[in-house]
Amino acid sequence: MFAYIVRRLLLIIPTVFGIMLLNFAIIQAAPGGPVEQMIARLEGRDVSGTARITGEGAEVAAPRSQGAGETGNYRGRRGLDPRFIDEIRKMYGFDKPAYVRFFTMMRDYVVFDFGNSFFKGRPVIDLVLESMPVSISIGLWTTLLGYLISIPLGIAKAVRHGSRFDAATTTSMIAGSAIPSFLLAVFLIVVFAGGSYFKWFPLRGLVSDNWSELSLPDKIIDYFWHMTLPLIALMVGSFTILTLLVKNSFLDQLSLLYVSTARAKGLSERQVLYRHVFRNALLIPIAGFPGAFIGIFFGGSLLIETIFSLNGLGLLGYQAAIGRDYPVMFGTLYFFSLLGLLIRLISDLTYTIVDPRIDFEKRET
């Protein structure tokens, strides 16, 4: 197992390098880079999408060289001195060749030095750490609640396969999965967050403004009070696939010979189900927990973060992409890629914990 882990860790290096190189090359051809953004601001015409999303103006900073390329043809060139535009290009580091910027960026990223945001004037690592609690909260609770609902519901559906309960729950889950999470979020705000009817839940933020002054029990209550509507919007219909996976896994195991043998020995259905079938049937769903979490953590909550004004990593990355804030874009991409590959390794190792009979050393990698 140690050799397998080492091989997987070594494989992360070229994989991350390839991901960064591919995205860097794609961004090279994208119009509207930071230099054009700066020129637009100087001319009084903000072309970034960040201001449209947050309603706030962006702060302009002078970061060090990193990011993707800029061409020399700017729409604002006619109104500004070309020498001044060259100074702007130099300020953002675009006076250097693309390959120099890329390898400089990767050299800094090895030691997790992501530089400063082009337009917020703050270290990228600080922006990521500030946004991470929101994304972790959404990803962790959505995944955990999904499993807590899906596993018992899937078992109940397997035991009652073909019954009215099975048909009714399947119909309800399919109907719920057909509702887009962002549409449900808007509905919840209109009805329960002071939109038109009730004002039972807060409209924005992860905690209240006076959260630091609250006692520990009140802090916990306040936190879940703010998380209720976002979690409902993400949860409804999100556990359909997992529930059906659990059900089908149990049905497959219940049809095997060892189950008939256990029944022939006089064991009750409950003993057969939870003593013999449970571990084998939940091998794939439980081992997939890290992957499910990282999927929601990365991108599953972008619209929810925007609608409920939650400053998470999804919203941070989207604002950076719209505003062409390359240090934030590539810094979060590097972080996500590295974390995603590590989580995939952890997910594979989880199989060995759930079922020790699995040995990755015998596999060809």
Side-chain angles (χ1 to χ4, degrees):
M1 180 58 65
F2 178 77
Y4 173 77
I5 295 175
V6 171
R7 288 198 300 269
R8 288 291 300 271
L9 290 175
L10 292 176
L11 187 61
I12 288 177
I13 298 175
T15 304
V16 172
F17 184 86
I19 292 173
M20 298 299 297
L21 179 60
L22 178 61
N23 283 272
F24 187 90
I26 293 174
I27 294 299
Q28 290 281 53
V35 176
E36 185 173 320
Q37 299 276 345
M38 169 66 86
I39 293 174
R41 284 176 171 81
L42 293 174
E43 293 186 340
R45 50 181 184 87
D46 192 350
V47 297
S48 72
T50 305
R52 293 195 296 271
I53 296 172
T54 61
E56 301 176 355
E59 300 176 7
V60 179
R64 63 152 196 267
S65 168
Q66 84 175 318
E70 288 283 332
T71 63
N73 298 320
Y74 303 110
R75 287 178 292 177
R77 179 181 288 275
R78 183 178 300 176
L80 295 175
D81 189 336
R83 291 176 297 179
F84 181 64
I85 294 178
D86 291 337
E87 288 297 322
I88 295 177
R89 297 182 72 249
K90 184 177 180 179
M91 179 180 68
Y92 286 111
F94 294 111
D95 57 326
K96 299 181 178 65
Y99 70 90
V100 174
R101 295 196 305 273
F102 176 75
F103 284 106
T104 301
M105 180 182 71
M106 294 304 298
R107 180 199 63 194
D108 295 334
Y109 283 7
V110 170
V111 293
F112 295 95
D113 181 6
F114 300 122
N116 294 329
S117 167
F118 277 172
F119 302 116
K120 294 186 178 181
R122 299 181 56 197
V124 173
I125 190 66
D126 290 346
L127 296 174
V128 171
L129 292 178
E130 286 181 5
S131 304
M132 194 176 295
V134 173
S135 296
I136 290 179
S137 295
I138 294 176
L140 180 61
W141 288 115
T142 302
T143 307
L144 184 60
L145 290 175
Y147 271 75
L148 290 176
I149 294 174
S150 298
I151 291 177
L153 181 58
I155 296 174
K157 287 173 65 63
V159 174
R160 299 172 178 82
H161 178 62
S163 65
R164 291 183 178 179
F165 171 80
D166 184 28
T169 52
T170 300
T171 302
S172 301
M173 289 189 300
I174 293 175
S177 63
I179 302 175
S181 59
F182 71 90
L183 187 61
L184 179 60
V186 173
F187 172 79
L188 292 174
I189 288 176
V190 171
V191 177
F192 299 109
S196 299
Y197 299 94
F198 308 103
K199 196 174 183 180
W200 294 348
F201 297 95
L203 180 60
R204 60 188 303 161
L206 190 62
V207 293
S208 299
D209 294 335
N210 64 336
W211 191 79
S212 60
E213 303 172 0
L214 301 176
S215 62
L216 180 59
D218 290 336
K219 286 182 178 180
I220 296 175
I221 294 174
D222 181 76
Y223 169 76
F224 284 105
W225 183 46
H226 282 75
M227 288 295 295
T228 300
L229 294 186
L231 288 179
I232 291 176
L234 280 172
M235 283 297 302
V236 174
S238 64
F239 53 88
T240 301
I241 296 177
L242 181 59
T243 302
L244 296 178
L245 177 62
V246 172
K247 174 192 172 183
N248 292 331
S249 296
F250 269 83
L251 287 177
D252 290 341
Q253 292 296 319
L254 288 172
S255 63
L256 297 180
L257 182 60
Y258 78 92
V259 175
S260 301
T261 303
R263 288 170 177 167
K265 291 181 178 179
L267 296 180
S268 64
E269 285 297 318
R270 185 178 183 85
Q271 290 176 320
V272 171
L273 192 64
Y274 292 101
R275 184 180 298 178
H276 296 278
V277 176
F278 189 81
R279 189 180 70 173
N280 294 329
L282 290 185
L283 173 61
I284 295 178
I286 292 179
F289 183 90
F293 165 71
I294 208 67
I296 298 175
F297 178 78
F298 280 167
S301 57
L302 170 60
L303 292 175
I304 298 301
E305 290 176 6
T306 304
I307 293 173
F308 288 99
S309 299
L310 300 172
N311 294 320
L313 288 173
L315 184 58
L316 175 67
Y318 179 73
Q319 291 176 346
I322 295 297
R324 300 297 193 271
D325 197 341
Y326 291 147
V328 179
M329 286 176 59
F330 287 107
T332 53
L333 175 64
Y334 179 85
F335 176 79
F336 283 164
S337 300
L338 188 61
L339 183 61
L341 292 170
L342 290 174
I343 291 294
R344 185 175 292 275
L345 173 59
I346 295 174
S347 181
D348 288 344
L349 297 179
T350 307
Y351 282 97
T352 64
I353 298 175
V354 177
D355 190 349
R357 295 171 298 179
I358 296 177
D359 187 3
F360 286 105
E361 289 288 353
K362 297 179 180 179
R363 295 178 53 194
E364 293 292 332
T365 58

